[in-house]
Amino acid sequence: MDNQRKKKSTYFTIGLVFVLSGIEYAVILPTIWRYLQNLDAAPYFLGLALSAFSLSGLLSGPLFGHWSDRTRTTKKIILFANCFEIIGNFMYFMGYSKWVLLSSRLVAGIGTGAGSAIFGLLTRSTAPEDRSTAFAAVMACRQAGLLIGPAFNIFLRLCDFNLGPFVLNKFTAPGLFMCLLWILLQLAVVFLYWDIQPAERGKARDVSTRRSNEVDGERGQAEGQAEGDDDDDNNEEKPLMGSQEVMGSYGAVVEPPDQTSHHIAAASDADAPHGSPPPSPPPPESQESSNPFKNFSMTREFLREEVIVLLAAQFITLFNQTALETMVTPMTQKYFGYGELENSVMYCLCGVEVIAGFLFVRWLSQRVAERVILAIGLVICNIACVWCLIFLTNPIGDFPWQLTEFVIGVFLQVLGLPFVAVAQVSLFSKVTSEKTQGFNQGVRRSVGGLGTILGPLWAGGLTENMYIMLGVMMALLVLLTVMMAFSYERLVEPPAVQQADADDTD
């Protein structure tokens, strides 16, 4: 299999990983509330179960990211992480008690840590100008899973029979279904995923830089010789900058051309064995590339204004999103009498909207800067939170009006998600070191995991106090908007990275 086909099959498998993560979320979330009620769990257990999944992902993400940065491989990491998904979903299928159910989400969440390694791989293997497009495509794969998942739920809800000692019904079937899907994914990773080294961009950059220096050196020598000839022929054609000045701009010590050639030839004859070509010099960064964490500093990497703003965007948006997701199913049950089927259809429609949003952001990212996309997303999120604070805290009117208010609120919340999600992850990959992207993305996802832990806990305990719940969410969004406004000028790609990528393009 040639290298191009290996890349395509690898990216296809990465897409499958995110599709399955979306399917898992879509088939579990609509049923877990009723599942816990059947196991005599208290209402706060819904928040605990959703937060447990994020907690284990928060802890495993940086570890898997660090592993990928050190080894520059991701295949073993994905295979290892998927084992936890298989075990966790099988425990969800068993479902003997609410504690087994809680533990199942804790175990399955460990598998989500592989996403840090995958995002690190995508960062290292894509050019900065193409990164938003790549991240939008990957995130759209997860949303495609969210769209497909409810369709599976329509059939899973019809299960009602015994499978040996286990009961297979509409609550336990999603666990067994996801267990089988993750097993199939393991086979896909084994046969279709290749550990293509993502550092080729950096190597190419080093090679192109060395070649450009060599070409400039030869050009400088040629100009020096031409200058000598021109002095004899016509002094009016003498260049304004001599060869020594050109070479001096690169910090090199300049010798006459004849002496330089003599020294190079003498050194080659002395060092090289008889009859063999002279050895090529080792890459200047070979030792550093073997240890990407050499001279790495947590404070220098993360305690910077622009990085803190992006991490805050990751935390606040996921906190608000998961809080509203936790609130939705009890709210639809209370006001509209929705069950599993209606909730699945609702999530399916939300998936369609989100996929359309990611496709639009992918198109928009090629025309405007990521910080503009981030600003648009924050404006939409603020409008959505104000709407929910006004209309969802105490729905007014009869059934059609209440349903309309609810649909508009959910539509606005989902609309802002693609803008903020794509912009902040793309900007984060550009303002942090590329060599440690696996670990950096793990830290970013852990901060987001903290938001997905606290969001359900916050909403689960305040379903009867909507003003407090939504008021705090609104305050967090206003704080993030102010932070983004003051740091807007710093949310750009560092000049050093821009110059390196320009050299790579040349």
Side-chain angles (χ1 to χ4, degrees):
M1 185 181 293
D2 60 12
N3 204 38
Q4 191 64 25
R5 291 181 64 186
K6 287 182 179 180
K7 285 184 178 180
K8 288 182 179 179
S9 65
T10 298
Y11 293 148
F12 173 75
T13 311
I14 289 174
L16 285 180
V17 172
F18 284 92
V19 167
L20 260 64
S21 68
I23 292 176
E24 179 178 3
Y25 192 82
V27 299
I28 295 291
L29 190 63
T31 58
I32 191 172
W33 170 240
R34 297 287 298 273
Y35 194 2
L36 287 168
Q37 287 179 327
N38 282 2
L39 296 174
D40 298 325
Y44 66 84
F45 248 83
L46 176 61
L48 286 178
L50 297 178
S51 298
F53 186 79
S54 302
L55 174 62
S56 52
L58 179 152
L59 299 175
S60 63
L63 297 178
F64 288 147
H66 185 272
W67 184 2
S68 70
D69 287 332
R70 298 287 299 213
T71 62
R72 285 297 192 267
T73 59
T74 51
K75 184 172 184 176
K76 293 180 180 179
I77 298 174
I78 296 174
L79 290 172
F80 180 69
N82 286 349
C83 293
F84 291 97
E85 291 278 10
I86 294 170
I87 296 171
N89 280 284
F90 188 79
M91 293 172 62
Y92 188 90
F93 159 64
M94 293 167 56
Y96 286 121
S97 69
K98 59 185 179 182
W99 297 107
V100 173
L101 190 64
L102 180 63
S103 301
S104 72
R105 303 312 294 156
L106 192 67
V107 173
I110 298 175
T112 62
S116 302
I118 293 175
F119 274 109
L121 169 69
L122 293 174
T123 299
R124 292 189 293 264
S125 59
T126 56
E129 61 271 14
D130 300 328
R131 207 163 289 164
S132 295
T133 302
F135 288 149
V138 169
M139 293 178 180
C141 287
R142 186 178 186 275
Q143 297 305 319
L146 290 172
L147 177 62
I148 299 170
F152 289 120
N153 237 358
I154 294 174
F155 299 100
L156 293 174
R157 62 190 292 271
L158 302 177
C159 296
D160 189 15
F161 56 90
N162 291 337
L163 193 64
F166 306 109
V167 176
L168 190 67
N169 55 33
K170 60 183 179 181
F171 302 126
T172 60
L176 181 61
F177 176 71
M178 288 311 307
C179 180
L180 296 175
L181 285 185
W182 287 112
I183 291 174
L184 292 176
L185 181 67
Q186 288 288 76
L187 298 176
V189 174
V190 170
F191 294 107
L192 298 177
Y193 193 95
W194 301 86
D195 268 325
I196 301 171
Q197 293 300 323
E200 292 181 2
R201 287 181 62 245
K203 292 180 181 177
R205 182 181 301 158
D206 294 338
V207 171
S208 63
T209 303
R210 290 198 299 271
R211 287 180 178 175
S212 63
N213 289 340
E214 292 173 1
V215 171
D216 290 335
E218 294 174 357
R219 186 182 302 163
Q221 293 178 6
E223 289 176 358
Q225 293 175 352
E227 179 187 353
D229 296 338
D230 291 341
D231 285 340
D232 296 336
D233 296 337
N234 188 357
N235 287 332
E236 292 180 356
E237 296 181 2
K238 182 178 180 180
L240 297 177
M241 183 178 291
S243 62
Q244 293 188 4
E245 294 172 306
V246 173
M247 295 297 289
S249 65
Y250 292 93
V253 178
V254 181
E255 298 179 357
D258 293 337
Q259 296 180 12
T260 306
S261 303
H262 173 73
H263 291 332
I264 294 176
S268 302
D269 293 340
D271 296 337
H274 181 68
S276 62
S280 58
E285 297 182 3
S286 59
Q287 185 169 355
E288 183 180 354
S289 60
S290 63
N291 182 15
F293 289 92
K294 184 179 180 180
N295 301 325
F296 178 79
S297 172
M298 291 280 288
T299 56
R300 186 173 63 247
E301 187 73 9
F302 299 115
L303 294 184
R304 289 183 284 125
E305 180 181 334
E306 60 273 23
V307 177
I308 292 174
V309 171
L310 294 174
L311 290 177
Q314 172 82 348
F315 172 83
I316 293 173
T317 52
L318 287 178
F319 176 90
N320 288 0
Q321 177 192 346
T322 53
L324 287 169
E325 287 173 349
T326 306
M327 172 200 72
V328 161
T329 47
M331 186 175 182
T332 55
Q333 184 183 28
K334 176 181 179 181
Y335 289 102
F336 311 123
Y338 282 0
E340 295 82 13
L341 177 61
E342 293 83 358
N343 285 330
S344 297
V345 172
M346 178 184 65
Y347 284 115
C348 183
L349 294 175
C350 289
V352 173
E353 181 188 354
V354 173
I355 290 176
F358 276 116
L359 293 177
F360 177 74
V361 170
R362 181 180 180 181
W363 172 84
L364 188 64
S365 64
Q366 299 173 355
R367 290 160 175 79
V368 300
E370 280 105 343
R371 57 181 180 176
V372 177
I373 297 175
L374 180 60
I376 294 173
L378 287 179
V379 170
I380 296 174
C381 288
N382 277 280
I383 295 173
C385 204
V386 170
W387 179 275
C388 293
L389 191 61
I390 295 174
F391 293 103
L392 297 189
T393 50
N394 187 21
I396 57 176
D398 52 6
F399 181 85
W401 278 109
Q402 291 180 357
L403 184 60
T404 302
E405 294 162 3
F406 175 78
V407 168
I408 294 176
V410 172
F411 173 82
L412 291 174
Q413 288 288 343
V414 173
L415 181 63
L417 177 62
F419 291 87
V420 179
V422 174
Q424 59 92 9
V425 68
S426 181
L427 283 170
F428 185 83
S429 70
K430 294 179 179 180
V431 301
T432 55
S433 174
E434 186 174 303
K435 294 180 180 180
T436 56
Q437 272 301 300
F439 179 77
N440 296 344
Q441 293 292 338
V443 171
R444 181 190 64 82
R445 287 169 63 90
S446 292
V447 171
L450 185 61
T452 58
I453 290 170
L454 297 178
L457 292 176
W458 176 256
L462 292 170
T463 53
E464 302 298 329
N465 296 279
M466 298 286 288
Y467 282 107
I468 298 176
M469 184 187 77
L470 290 170
V472 170
M473 293 164 56
M474 185 72 238
L476 289 175
L477 269 177
V478 171
L479 174 63
L480 175 59
T481 305
V482 172
M483 292 172 63
M484 194 266 182
F486 279 105
S487 303
Y488 185 79
E489 297 299 327
R490 298 181 64 90
L491 295 175
V492 292
E493 191 176 349
V497 177
Q498 294 175 355
Q499 182 60 42
D501 287 315
D503 295 339
D504 195 15
T505 304
D506 296 336

